[in-house]
Amino acid sequence: MFNSGITVKEHDEARQGEALVLDNQTGRNNGRKLYIESYGCQMNFSDSEIVASIMLDMGFTTTNTYQEADVIFINTCSIRENAEQRVRNRLKEFAVAKVRKPDMVVGVLGCMAERLKAKFLEEEKLVDIVIGPDAYRDLPNLIESVDGGNKAVNVLLSREETYADINPVRLTSNGISAFVSIMRGCDNMCSFCVVPFTRGRERSRDVHSIIKEVTDLYNSGYKEVTLLGQNVDSYKWTNEEGTESVNFAQLLERVALISPEVRIRFSTSHPKDITDEVLYTMAKYENICKYIHLPVQSGNSRILDLMNRTYDREWYMDRVNAIRRIIPECAISTDVIAGFCSETEEEHQETLSMMDFVQYDYAYMFMYSERPGTPAAKKFTDDIPTEVKNRRLTEIINKQQAHSKLRFEQQLGKVQKVLVEGLSKKSDQDFCGRNDQNAMVIFPVVENIKPGDYVNVVVERCTSATLIGKMV
Ligand code: SAH
Ligand code: SF4
Ligand code: F3S
């Protein structure tokens, strides 16, 4: 079906003289169906909503069944090797669908696209388009190129792109809560991490476009927004004249003031950057949720240094003490990596003792996975045997399960303000919704209460994943 032509844009020069050809496309694409699937972090899911918006403007409609799609997009993650493997396996399933429907276009988006660039086309023959996270505005051209029988690649990273003016299509939303991207990229260079290479330089989105997006969401019935960035605490936006400058604490305050009816969450906070100003702002506004995701990665200062996290054990503990002092009811979650290069048994024990110190509400726990091209891959040896990594990870998971249970049990008998999201997955006799601390709460359906309402629920019991109670 394809000739050998490949349109590749991997270098900035390729961007010169480029214009979007949005006109006439609507007609041509009318009724063509897009299927889009996302992997990885919330930012990828949020990006898929930008992509869908651009494709809908081009005349596409969306479908939930990939077999009937004209275009399949898979928005990918590179964070660990198994994240990439999952995508490769999924592509095999798409290949079967493409045999049945040879005109089907398959596009790889996101971080794996950025990491592998045109190599992807060689490695996975069914792929027609490879498009990096900063190149989605180029979709009309790329689709046109593929329709013309070419394969197409655009993996140019940008220092400015924030998609601020694009109104995302809320793909998976329940109509109550939505993600709002406030920045892109990351400048931190943690030694294990591929994100600075796949997402490029850090840039913050225009505060006015954020306020407008949240206001629009509120006006269309949304009650909860999660402000997203790899490192939200380094949000910093200054207007061109230099007369207006906004940091993260100030952004939080401005979003909180849109309406007391809109709850605000945010992720992720970097321990080196989270300030007391942010904590005091959280304490001041009832509608800023008392929940902080504060990835520790390791409890040992030598490993933290090798990871280039730029804080040590004492600094992290000081930040946790500040949270406990300023927002006593705050829930804290974390990310932990087990078995980073050269980690000793004693150093692993310090991760466990850090967990005892904080008593996290939740944790996302991983085995170290070496990523090609990262500083750790270049400088250190991935020398902890898989069995040891596995055993350390199991110890971390077991400890976390005990802490999650403990934190849940502390909620028993307490009244929680819950934002109703809908019926519980397990029973249409129950509602589900989250409390301030981000825990899922289940309670029997009450007449006249509907999704989007705030209700008070007294917690009577809990499972490992949910609090169960009744409305008061
Ligand atoms: N920006 C966030 C993290 C984004 S990646 C922050 O700085 O906290 C999400 C998590 O994936 C990281 O916190 C880390 O725990 C994990 N992770 C990243 N690279 C990894 C790797 N090479 N191996 C294992 N886990 C990794
Ligand atoms: Fe990766 Fe570190 Fe940036 Fe997080 S802060 S995205 S872990 S480089
Ligand atoms: Fe994965 Fe990229 Fe997010 S690597 S975690 S999808 S920024």
Side-chain angles (χ1 to χ4, degrees), residues 186-190 192-196 230-231 270 297 309:
C186 183
D187 283 350
N188 282 325
M189 294 302 276
C190 301
F192 52 79
C193 184
V194 80
V195 172
Q230 289 297 354
N231 181 2
H270 195 299
Q297 315 299 0
R309 288 290 287 180

Side-chain angles (χ1 to χ4, degrees), residues 11 56 65 130 144 206 208 265 269 281 284 288 339 347 364:
H11 307 287
L56 260 53
T65 319
V130 177
E144 190 178 66
D206 182 333
H208 303 285
R265 301 188 184 280
S269 300
T281 307
K284 183 172 168 192
I288 305 180
E347 289 166 343
Y364 302 87

Side-chain angles (χ1 to χ4, degrees), residues 39-41 44 76-79 111 194-195 198-199 230:
Y39 291 78
C41 62
N44 245 16
T76 60
C77 173
S78 282
I79 202 83
C111 291
V194 80
V195 172
T198 62
R199 295 265 162 179
Q230 289 297 354

